[in-house]
Amino acid sequence: MSPSDQSPSVSTAELAEQLANPTDDEVAVVDAWWRANNYLTVGQIYLLANPLLREQLVSEHIKPRLLGHWGTSPGLSLIYAHASRLIQRTDQEMIYLAGPGHGGPALVAAAYLEGTYSEIYPGVSLDEDGLRRLFRQFSAPGGIPSHVSVPTPGSIHEGGELGYALVHAFGAVMDNPGLIALTVVGDGEAETGPLEGSWKGISFLNPARDGAVLPILHLNGAKIAGPTVLARKDPSEVRSLFEGHGYDVIEVEGDDLPGMHHRFAAALAGAWASIRTIQDSARGGDWDGTRPRWPLIVLRTPKGWTGPDVVDGVQVSGTWRAHQVPLSGVRGNDAHLRVLEDWMRSYRPEELFDDEGAPVELVRRANPEGELRMSASPHANGGLLTRDLDLPDFRKYAIDVSAPGTDRAESTRKLGELMRDIYQDNPDRFRLFCPDETNSNRLGAVFEVSDRAFAERVTEDDVAISRDGRVMEVLSEHNCHGWLEGYTLTGRHGWFATYEAFAMVSASQTIQHSKWLQEADHLPWRTKIPSLNILLTSTAWRNDHNGFSHQGPGLIQNAITQRGNVCRVYLPPDANCLLSVADHCLRSRSYVNLVVIDKQPQLQWLTIDKAIEHCARGASVWEWAGTDDGSGEPDIVLACAGDVVTMETVAAARILRDRLPGLRTRVVNVVNLMTLPRRKDHPHGMDETLFKELFTDHVDVVFAFHGYPGAIHQLVHGRPDADRFRVRGFVEEGTTTTPFDMVVRNRASRYHLVMDAINNARRTPTGASELKAWCEQRLAEHRAYVVEHLEDMPEVRDWVLGDWAVTG
């Protein structure tokens, strides 16, 4: 039941007042749960046996390798305990994102105390044996990581790489009106660039339609080896910083008990009441459209709170020394062993666990029921909530191709038209995320049905911008990528579109999400979620005015190194192939789909039916482009993957056909890059028979590739005589220049490909030397022409294949 479903007999203000003033019994319940969680956290870091301290600790009870992070954990547990109380009283749907990802033992302990952990992993039972397993598995071979990682129930955010907690939270609540994403931001994480840039998420939320993010900035003063910036700033400066971002700042500080329970309960109640008031106003029609001042809690507690204060005469609690393992030399050190035992007994485990080792009723009373438990929320296992998109038939957006290589079109415009209608038909589960480049990337058709989302002030000069918009534009790859991750992790669908070179800004996010999906694939309880779809345009080969800074196909290289059960790379050569690929990507689950195609006018090659057939195969012989009639083996194979290099390859084949008609050429186009590896290396890899049909097993292959040449060599490793593949691609040659000059500079032009074909063909027909000389002459003419005329030669600029593809 969501808060809006509650009986109107108790108002938000009345309920908040009750939450802000817990009774002694409620404090006792929260405190017992918190102590139990702290105990389980310490046990996971240190103990191999004796989980309930039934006997005196000895060295044999201690793990041989002590790994984990204590310092942030008690604060994470305090927040969790109070959030659970709020959920119990309000039926609020809530998920918990732990920015300090190394606080993993605290969140694992929370899932265990809520019972979710044992439901998913029955071997980790709610008894003494289960506790032993819980402790033993933590940060150990064959066990679980120290992060709030994929195996942790309730997690959509690992936090192993800091910086993404808030962007995931904002993505999670978009089009998710009943959800609050409670997000703890550690003061170390707050120093990262992505996190610093993510506070602006409230400038894009619509309280009438979206859920809410409740950030809790947890300032405990230190990171791994020193102070943090925000913790050392004057509190007034911190408050001003976040008030400037537009937040209503609520501050809580201390380490006294039960005082901190009362103060934090009041802070959380006030934040929840503020969120409910904002949403009720917007959803009841009593809202003037002004961006609300959303609440933000600044929580200041000592690092390592409740842990050892002084060890060997050195201050630990409240310093960076409490960050990881405060007592690192316990095994074999009797003095440290006694400190550890005193520390663990300070939580009074005999009050928290019964004779069987199960949490006592006082502890269990703190837990919400069923799916309201944050560790059991379906929002944190997004496949449970995923609804398929209502997708139109992509064929109706097809370009009419009367003959291959005759007409030009901006291919991504057709994808924009498809997205427009997906927006219209799926108003609550599809969004495009793009760093201020939607129109630039020719996807602007979406603005026919949706504005850009913007909760800040709008002026009369703004175009397609409103609080009701659902196209997400912000000049930050981190925000756009992270918002889409949060959106898909909670069960919705979308695209992240950006310039190819600047996808590297968020490349680490792509890799981290791939790792998440890869690990989730091993967990049967993790349900498949919508794929993360990435569209790269303004590619390395076509940045006519931007120059070398905008030229880099590096994300392909990152993607192909991920495991085959996760990443896909598509290089559609034209609009109809792009439509087929896009439809496939939107129907897929739990992949990272990387689609690379330029936005500039380009030659169109395949009818929609041929495009569908080609994309289904992943790679095909374009019989109309070569001179190989299938009656025998070719003298040379001309292969290509990528739109610009496809044009150069087809043009090279045309030159060879006209000038060396006796040379048998075969043209192979690859649209799914991951068909090139062996099937045992990648699930999309083509079998040996098909590979031989396309590339033979001994004829040399001149391969023109969109990205770095080494990628193709990596992918065909292990194929028959892999050294016969001669790859031309992007070799970091670029500047502000013409389109054709880019392929010339990178030695991937049609003339370079013709010379490569002559040099590597099985035989050298009469006239080959003259043709090579002609190619060199054309390259020299090109260099002179572009300097004088500032554009490409007409025979290149206006080249079309013409009717040869039909009659030749």
Side-chain angles (χ1 to χ4, degrees), residues 101-104 107-108 117 121 143-160 516 519 523 525-526:
H102 281 290
L107 273 295
V108 170
Y117 207 91
Y121 306 109
I144 62 173
S146 66
H147 305 166
V148 187
S149 55
V150 192
T152 307
S155 174
I156 66 164
H157 171 82
E158 177 168 308
W516 176 279
E519 290 303 298
L523 301 170
W525 60 273
R526 284 275 184 193

Side-chain angles (χ1 to χ4, degrees), residues 114 144 150 309 347 385 551 585 609 647 672 755 770 802:
E114 287 188 319
I144 62 173
V150 192
D309 186 37
Y347 299 119
L385 301 175
Q551 294 159 355
C585 291
D609 290 336
M647 179 177 67
N672 179 353
M755 291 188 285
E770 290 82 355

Side-chain angles (χ1 to χ4, degrees), residues 259-332:
M260 277 297 288
H261 286 307
H262 287 279
R263 292 197 293 278
F264 189 74
L268 192 60
W272 175 81
S274 177
I275 290 170
R276 294 291 296 126
T277 300
I278 290 168
Q279 293 176 338
D280 288 346
S281 174
R283 296 168 192 181
D286 184 22
W287 179 40
D288 63 4
T290 303
R291 177 190 50 75
R293 296 191 68 84
W294 295 95
L296 177 153
I297 296 174
V298 177
L299 173 64
R300 294 180 174 89
T301 65
K303 197 167 193 76
W305 185 20
T306 73
D309 186 37
V310 176
V311 178
D312 296 335
V314 177
Q315 184 67 41
V316 173
S317 180
T319 77
W320 56 269
R321 296 180 183 90
H323 182 82
Q324 291 179 289
V325 182
L327 296 162
S328 58
V330 177
R331 198 177 174 106

Side-chain angles (χ1 to χ4, degrees), residues 139-440:
S139 211
I144 62 173
S146 66
H147 305 166
V148 187
S149 55
V150 192
T152 307
S155 174
I156 66 164
H157 171 82
E158 177 168 308
E161 179 181 322
L162 299 180
Y164 310 126
L166 270 182
V167 289
H168 289 160
F170 280 110
V173 303
M174 291 173 185
D175 298 322
N176 209 349
L179 183 66
I180 291 179
L182 186 152
T183 308
V184 185
V185 177
D187 45 359
E189 181 183 29
E191 296 179 359
T192 66
L195 200 289
E196 279 277 17
S198 62
W199 297 106
K200 68 176 70 71
I202 55 172
S203 296
F204 299 88
L205 286 188
N206 182 326
R209 177 191 59 218
D210 301 325
V213 175
L214 175 56
I216 300 179
L217 177 62
H218 183 206
L219 298 180
N220 57 36
K223 44 187 181 279
I224 194 168
T228 58
V229 174
L230 290 179
R232 291 291 176 91
K233 281 184 176 294
D234 186 282
S236 65
E237 291 185 341
V238 175
R239 184 165 54 254
S240 295
L241 172 67
F242 292 106
E243 287 176 345
H245 277 300
Y247 290 95
D248 179 15
V249 179
I250 304 168
E251 297 177 86
V252 185
E253 181 175 6
D255 62 357
D256 58 304
L257 296 169
M260 277 297 288
H261 286 307
H262 287 279
R263 292 197 293 278
F264 189 74
L268 192 60
W272 175 81
S274 177
I275 290 170
R276 294 291 296 126
T277 300
I278 290 168
Q279 293 176 338
D280 288 346
S281 174
R283 296 168 192 181
D286 184 22
W287 179 40
D288 63 4
T290 303
R291 177 190 50 75
R293 296 191 68 84
W294 295 95
L296 177 153
I297 296 174
V298 177
L299 173 64
R300 294 180 174 89
T301 65
K303 197 167 193 76
W305 185 20
T306 73
D309 186 37
V310 176
V311 178
D312 296 335
V314 177
Q315 184 67 41
V316 173
S317 180
T319 77
W320 56 269
R321 296 180 183 90
H323 182 82
Q324 291 179 289
V325 182
L327 296 162
S328 58
V330 177
R331 198 177 174 106
N333 185 323
D334 286 342
H336 284 193
L337 201 59
R338 299 286 71 79
V339 174
L340 174 60
E341 184 167 1
D342 290 344
W343 174 14
M344 296 192 71
R345 290 192 185 280
S346 72
Y347 299 119
R348 307 191 298 281
E350 67 279 1
E351 299 176 5
L352 308 174
F353 302 94
D354 63 21
D355 292 342
E356 300 300 319
V360 300
E361 192 269 342
L362 180 68
V363 173
R364 297 197 309 272
R365 279 169 54 195
N367 297 327
E369 295 183 358
E371 292 183 348
L372 285 176
R373 295 171 295 174
M374 289 184 286
S375 61
S377 172
H379 295 281
N381 193 2
L384 296 172
L385 301 175
T386 298
R387 289 183 292 156
D388 289 339
L389 287 172
D390 183 3
L391 289 174
D393 183 354
F394 65 91
R395 295 170 182 82
K396 74 179 185 180
Y397 307 93
I399 287 179
D400 183 19
V401 179
S402 57
T406 301
D407 299 314
R408 286 182 169 83
E410 295 169 323
S411 297
T412 54
R413 283 203 187 277
K414 306 309 291 185
L415 178 58
E417 294 172 15
L418 175 65
M419 287 186 184
R420 173 198 63 204
D421 294 345
I422 296 173
Y423 257 105
Q424 179 123 340
D425 297 339
N426 302 270
D428 60 349
R429 58 188 184 276
F430 176 81
R431 292 201 188 198
L432 169 65
F433 301 82
C434 186
D436 194 34
E437 298 151 1
T438 302
N439 275 325
S440 174

Side-chain angles (χ1 to χ4, degrees), residues 497-750:
T498 190
Y499 287 9
E500 182 181 41
F502 304 131
M504 295 304 293
V505 173
S506 56
S508 187
Q509 289 179 279
T510 307
I511 294 169
Q512 291 294 322
H513 190 74
S514 299
K515 291 177 183 293
W516 176 279
L517 294 176
Q518 179 179 308
E519 290 303 298
D521 190 51
H522 304 317
L523 301 170
W525 60 273
R526 284 275 184 193
T527 307
K528 298 289 188 181
I529 62 171
S531 294
L532 185 81
N533 301 311
I534 302 175
L535 175 70
L536 303 185
T537 68
S538 296
T539 66
W541 301 97
R542 289 298 305 267
N543 270 286
D544 303 351
H545 68 285
N546 286 313
F548 197 31
S549 65
H550 283 55
Q551 294 159 355
L555 193 61
I556 292 175
Q557 206 76 22
N558 283 278
I560 65 173
T561 61
Q562 302 304 303
R563 285 194 189 170
N565 63 332
V566 172
C567 275
R568 303 287 183 264
V569 180
Y570 299 98
L571 294 157
D574 64 4
N576 289 339
C577 288
L578 174 60
L579 289 169
S580 179
V581 165
D583 181 80
H584 171 76
C585 291
L586 287 168
R587 295 180 189 275
S588 68
R589 293 287 184 275
S590 291
Y591 290 134
V592 172
N593 294 314
L594 180 60
V595 181
V596 187
I597 187 170
D598 197 47
K599 65 186 183 182
Q600 301 291 350
Q602 54 189 197
L603 289 172
Q604 302 297 307
W605 305 105
L606 302 180
T607 65
I608 189 62
D609 290 336
K610 290 292 186 182
I612 293 169
E613 180 183 349
H614 178 47
C615 293
R617 289 171 60 91
S620 305
V621 174
W622 284 3
E623 295 176 355
W624 47 265
T627 56
D628 172 30
D629 60 7
S631 61
E633 288 191 337
D635 296 313
I636 193 75
V637 176
L638 300 176
C640 49
D643 47 8
V644 169
V645 292
T646 292
M647 179 177 67
E648 293 305 304
T649 298
V650 175
R654 175 65 185 266
I655 292 170
L656 289 167
R657 182 260 190 186
D658 288 346
R659 294 179 174 271
L660 289 182
L663 188 72
R664 294 169 61 89
T665 62
R666 176 182 296 173
V667 176
V668 176
N669 181 264
V670 179
V671 63
N672 179 353
L673 200 61
M674 309 318 291
T675 60
L676 293 177
R678 298 173 297 182
R679 183 160 290 177
K680 66 180 180 180
D681 297 327
H682 194 285
H684 274 203
M686 66 181 79
D687 63 30
E688 290 78 3
T689 302
L690 179 57
F691 192 87
K692 183 176 180 178
E693 287 179 7
L694 297 180
F695 299 105
T696 79
D697 57 8
H698 63 280
V699 173
D700 277 21
V701 180
V702 175
F703 202 122
F705 177 51
H706 175 91
Y708 296 116
I712 299 300
H713 292 296
Q714 177 181 337
L715 293 170
V716 301
H717 175 75
R719 291 295 191 179
D721 192 13
D723 287 344
R724 64 195 167 96
F725 281 75
R726 323 287 184 190
V727 187
R728 295 283 183 172
F730 188 77
V731 291
E732 290 295 343
E733 291 291 340
T735 185
T736 302
T737 190
T738 66
F740 187 66
D741 194 49
M742 276 299 297
V743 293
V744 170
R745 286 173 176 270
N746 287 277
R747 302 187 293 280
S749 75
R750 60 197 66 182

